Amino acid sequence: ALLAKMCTIIAGDEMRHHLAYREFVKTIMGQDPDGMVLAFADMMKKKIVMPAHFLRESGGSIGEAFEQFSNCAQRLGVYTAQDYIDILKKLNAYWDIGNLRGLSDEAEKARVYLMKLPDRLQRISERM
């Protein structure tokens, strides 16, 4: 019962973060599409590092415990590469990345990168 309550609280908190950041980006996209597309592409190229990545077990190296957790979650189907790809597709659609026009040359390259990224990640995940 306690674990279920904790999970419910965490899930609610995660959903609030998701909705807030999704709307922040949508608002910024309306004001500065070039800057937002460039920032989004830059973030995706550098990879998203979860804060839990820095946790470690006593005597273990940083990232080792999170890597084990991540591998376990992938094998159990709790959070998979496909989930990540699906989220990226939904965000690209929600922010209408595919239909942005009038961008600078650099931002247009970033937009194209973002639109191709889900398929690229799909091919990589299929080789795993």
PDB file of all heavy atoms in Angstrom, residues 33 41 57-58 60 90 122:
ATOM      1  N   PRO A  33      10.696  30.490 -32.767  1.00  0.00           N
ATOM      2  CA  PRO A  33      10.818  29.135 -33.309  1.00  0.00           C
ATOM      3  C   PRO A  33      12.259  28.744 -33.658  1.00  0.00           C
ATOM      4  O   PRO A  33      12.663  27.616 -33.404  1.00  0.00           O
ATOM      5  CB  PRO A  33       9.914  29.143 -34.543  1.00  0.00           C
ATOM      6  CG  PRO A  33       9.607  30.556 -34.818  1.00  0.00           C
ATOM      7  CD  PRO A  33       9.812  31.326 -33.566  1.00  0.00           C
ATOM      8  N   ALA A  41      17.057  20.575 -30.723  1.00  0.00           N
ATOM      9  CA  ALA A  41      17.981  19.708 -31.464  1.00  0.00           C
ATOM     10  C   ALA A  41      19.293  19.547 -30.704  1.00  0.00           C
ATOM     11  O   ALA A  41      19.833  18.437 -30.615  1.00  0.00           O
ATOM     12  CB  ALA A  41      18.224  20.260 -32.859  1.00  0.00           C
ATOM     13  N   GLU A  57      25.733   3.170  -5.904  1.00  0.00           N
ATOM     14  CA  GLU A  57      25.732   2.318  -4.733  1.00  0.00           C
ATOM     15  C   GLU A  57      27.083   2.477  -4.044  1.00  0.00           C
ATOM     16  O   GLU A  57      28.068   2.851  -4.676  1.00  0.00           O
ATOM     17  CB  GLU A  57      25.506   0.860  -5.135  1.00  0.00           C
ATOM     18  CG  GLU A  57      24.123   0.621  -5.714  1.00  0.00           C
ATOM     19  CD  GLU A  57      23.891  -0.829  -6.012  1.00  0.00           C
ATOM     20  OE1 GLU A  57      23.612  -1.568  -5.054  1.00  0.00           O
ATOM     21  OE2 GLU A  57      23.997  -1.199  -7.183  1.00  0.00           O
ATOM     22  N   SER A  58      27.131   2.162  -2.777  1.00  0.00           N
ATOM     23  CA  SER A  58      28.366   2.275  -2.018  1.00  0.00           C
ATOM     24  C   SER A  58      29.484   1.512  -2.730  1.00  0.00           C
ATOM     25  O   SER A  58      29.351   0.326  -3.030  1.00  0.00           O
ATOM     26  CB  SER A  58      28.158   1.714  -0.610  1.00  0.00           C
ATOM     27  OG  SER A  58      29.339   1.840   0.138  1.00  0.00           O
ATOM     28  N   GLY A  60      30.397   1.791  -5.735  1.00  0.00           N
ATOM     29  CA  GLY A  60      30.196   1.709  -7.185  1.00  0.00           C
ATOM     30  C   GLY A  60      30.527   3.013  -7.866  1.00  0.00           C
ATOM     31  O   GLY A  60      30.644   4.066  -7.229  1.00  0.00           O
ATOM     32  N   LYS A  90       5.459  12.051 -30.470  1.00  0.00           N
ATOM     33  CA  LYS A  90       4.328  12.842 -29.963  1.00  0.00           C
ATOM     34  C   LYS A  90       4.712  14.301 -29.745  1.00  0.00           C
ATOM     35  O   LYS A  90       3.927  15.208 -30.041  1.00  0.00           O
ATOM     36  CB  LYS A  90       3.794  12.229 -28.674  1.00  0.00           C
ATOM     37  CG  LYS A  90       3.047  10.937 -28.896  1.00  0.00           C
ATOM     38  CD  LYS A  90       2.598  10.324 -27.589  1.00  0.00           C
ATOM     39  CE  LYS A  90       1.959   8.969 -27.835  1.00  0.00           C
ATOM     40  NZ  LYS A  90       1.620   8.278 -26.595  1.00  0.00           N
ATOM     41  N   GLN A 122      14.646   4.372 -34.075  1.00  0.00           N
ATOM     42  CA  GLN A 122      13.941   3.106 -34.308  1.00  0.00           C
ATOM     43  C   GLN A 122      14.891   2.077 -34.911  1.00  0.00           C
ATOM     44  O   GLN A 122      14.928   0.919 -34.461  1.00  0.00           O
ATOM     45  CB  GLN A 122      12.741   3.338 -35.238  1.00  0.00           C
ATOM     46  CG  GLN A 122      11.866   2.120 -35.412  1.00  0.00           C
ATOM     47  CD  GLN A 122      11.037   1.855 -34.174  1.00  0.00           C
ATOM     48  OE1 GLN A 122      10.293   2.711 -33.732  1.00  0.00           O
ATOM     49  NE2 GLN A 122      11.184   0.677 -33.589  1.00  0.00           N
TER      50      GLN A 122
END
